Amino acid sequence: METLFRTLTSGNALIFILVLGLGGSFQNGFHTTGTSSPSPYIQHFINSSWYERYGEHPPLQTVTIIWSAIVALYAVGGLVAALNVKNVTGMFGRKKALIGNNLINILAAVFMLMSKHANSFEMIMIARFLYGIGAGLGGSIHAIYLGESSPKKIRGMMTLTCTIFIAIGKLSGQVFGLREILGREETWNILLSVPTCFAVVQLLTLPFFPEAPRYSLIDKGDEEACKKALQFLWGRKDEYKIEIDEMKAEQKAIKGVQTKTLMELIRDRSIRWQLITMAVICCGVQFSGTSAINIFSYNIFLEAGIPKGDIRYVTLGLGVVEVLTSLSSSLLIEHTGRRPLLWGGFGAMSALMVLIIITLNLKDVGQWVPYTTAGLFMLFNMSFVGGPSGMTITLANEVFVQSCRPAAFSFIGIQRWLLQALLSLSFPFLIEYLPSFSFVMFAGVCLVASLYTFFFVPETKGKTLLEISEQFKCITVCGKSFSREQTLETMATKL
């Protein structure tokens, strides 16, 4: 722990982590929970706006569809961003791409602030779409930038700070959403514009930081810029020589290989297991139920039987638990490794979701049952944040080499935002027609993800990216390997 503290404080790394987080993952976290508290006011605004235009109140189902679209358009914007992560980072680099992304967030805030005065729910839709683009680009570039700037010995802990800022963003959305602050009918548009203030902070400060060292050396071939960046971030020590040697080894291994496009990545059989692994984990994360809990927490806790006046405090408790868990897991990751936190987290989530389904069906037994359900949700969130949530970002940085990483983040982002959009559109209707049993799917998905990570995902702690790639090539199913090289070798032997 003492060595870790010296590493972080010998340069400008701590300020760097803070600046990246505020304009990166923090935005995603805030917008995930920021719509929960003002959701009744926004739906009332949709109703009144419709009435002023057409002279009649819209059907309840129409309001639900428009509200679902507002929620889902955030995910659609994230999907558009995911499709362009590789192009944006390749064209502008990590630093400039993140600086430019803040301008999108500022434009979104303008639409959100003006929507109420213009009496236009369409402007809310545009703002949510732009916020989605900003969060999609910001979250992916934040993770790539941080991973490419981190020493191997603390790479896991550094990339896990992305999760910490997501958790802080979620908690901030819940705090600012309190009635005593901005969670009122007259200020909901200001509430949903708050994260842009933090984007402005990044816009003004990030130009003073260097480009990602790994990107500077491997992609641009600028060893001097790489050295200066490492010195600026981690202090003027000779320890960075080890990192540069590792980068040179990776640069040599992929010499002559251009940065892959998304389609080239999908067609490349040598990284097939990495893609399958990330696909399973991403599906596990999105259909674990956490997205639904965060976005529709008001509806879920109302269905659970918790009084309306207590719901905001329960969701605030969820946010506090998530921040504390993410901070704790960042200290554990380099000790326990990635794999145990993954399969253990998914397994615990599956078991807890079964218990949640039971308590949701027993909510009328006594007044204590709804609060038991809330406690189970907190344990569920702890298992998620301490396991799959943080490990997904860490693994994405570790299982792909430099030429594959931007396209890999596009691949992961497309899955994430596509599944989130699907869930955002369908969950309001699921919880209406299948109140508690809509969670059965979540329990099953968590169980499958736990079994997959237990049997197939190798440990990546303390290994170079090239060593990790070799580990994935050795994965077998029923005693057979599906790597391209071994398949060709087997065919040649038979011939």
Side-chain angles (χ1 to χ4, degrees), residues 80-149:
V80 171
L83 288 166
N84 291 282
V85 168
K86 186 262 176 185
N87 295 329
V88 171
T89 55
M91 186 180 301
F92 300 106
R94 283 52 168 159
K95 177 181 169 180
K96 290 180 180 178
L98 205 51
I99 291 172
N101 184 60
N102 292 307
L103 300 176
I104 297 175
N105 287 319
I106 292 171
L107 180 61
V110 172
F111 275 99
M112 185 61 74
L113 288 169
M114 295 299 296
S115 62
K116 193 172 183 182
H117 303 289
N119 198 35
S120 170
F121 57 80
E122 292 88 352
M123 291 183 74
I124 303 175
M125 292 179 172
I126 295 171
R128 288 284 292 173
F129 176 71
L130 291 174
Y131 275 138
I133 293 176
L137 282 176
S140 294
I141 300 170
H142 175 197
I144 295 171
Y145 198 170
L146 198 58
E148 293 181 357
S149 303

Side-chain angles (χ1 to χ4, degrees), residues 46-47 57 156 177-178 197 203 226 246 261 295 304 367 375:
I46 294 168
N47 198 320
H57 291 291
L178 291 174
C197 300
L203 180 66
C226 176
E246 181 193 331
T261 64
I295 297 171
Q367 292 183 346

Side-chain angles (χ1 to χ4, degrees), residues 36-37 39-40 174 177-178 293-294 296-319 370-371 374 378:
S36 178
S37 176
S39 62
Q174 291 158 350
L178 291 174
I293 293 167
N294 286 321
F296 300 104
S297 58
Y298 181 86
N299 307 70
I300 291 170
F301 289 129
L302 193 63
E303 175 62 32
I306 295 174
K308 289 184 179 181
D310 293 345
I311 288 177
R312 56 180 178 171
Y313 298 109
V314 173
T315 55
L316 191 61
L318 281 176
Y371 294 98
M378 287 186 181

Side-chain angles (χ1 to χ4, degrees), residues 281-342:
I281 292 173
C282 286
C283 285
V285 167
Q286 289 305 312
F287 282 112
S288 65
T290 52
S291 294
I293 293 167
N294 286 321
I295 297 171
F296 300 104
S297 58
Y298 181 86
N299 307 70
I300 291 170
F301 289 129
L302 193 63
E303 175 62 32
I306 295 174
K308 289 184 179 181
D310 293 345
I311 288 177
R312 56 180 178 171
Y313 298 109
V314 173
T315 55
L316 191 61
L318 281 176
V320 172
V321 166
E322 190 165 336
V323 171
L324 294 176
T325 305
S326 60
L327 288 169
S328 301
S329 60
S330 67
L331 300 176
L332 283 174
I333 185 171
E334 297 300 345
H335 176 70
T336 60
R338 286 60 160 156
R339 186 170 167 270
L341 292 175
L342 263 175

